[in-house]
Amino acid sequence: GLRVQLASPEQAKLLGLQNNDIVTAVGKTGATKLKSLAPLVQGLQTKKSETLTLIRGGKPHKILYYLGS
């Protein structure tokens, strides 16, 4: 997965992520090939909704993004 290291608190609040979260999947696609969060953010701009799967503090979490109609 991709370990999250966000530069600003605003970024974290916007995405619902925290530093040291480990992103394991975006939708049904594993995140093992992601090298940064940029593709994730760009991909969210083209979809109506998406699920982000991650590990936070050793526990699995899911964030569901709703992005309009």
Side-chain angles (χ1 to χ4, degrees):
L2 173 68
R3 184 173 300 273
V4 175
Q5 295 296 322
L6 298 169
S8 70
E10 294 82 22
Q11 245 185 347
K13 187 175 181 179
L14 177 68
L15 295 173
L17 297 173
Q18 297 177 7
N19 278 329
N20 295 313
D21 284 350
I22 300 172
V23 177
T24 57
V26 178
K28 295 181 182 179
T29 304
T32 56
K33 295 182 181 180
L34 284 178
K35 299 199 185 289
S36 75
L37 289 175
L40 167 66
V41 173
Q42 290 171 348
L44 290 176
Q45 294 173 2
T46 63
K47 298 183 178 184
K48 292 182 181 181
S49 67
E50 187 63 274
T51 301
L52 181 69
T53 305
L54 58 99
I55 297 172
R56 177 179 291 159
K59 297 180 181 177
H61 290 271
K62 290 189 180 209
I63 298 174
L64 181 58
Y65 294 98
Y66 288 104
L67 304 157
S69 53

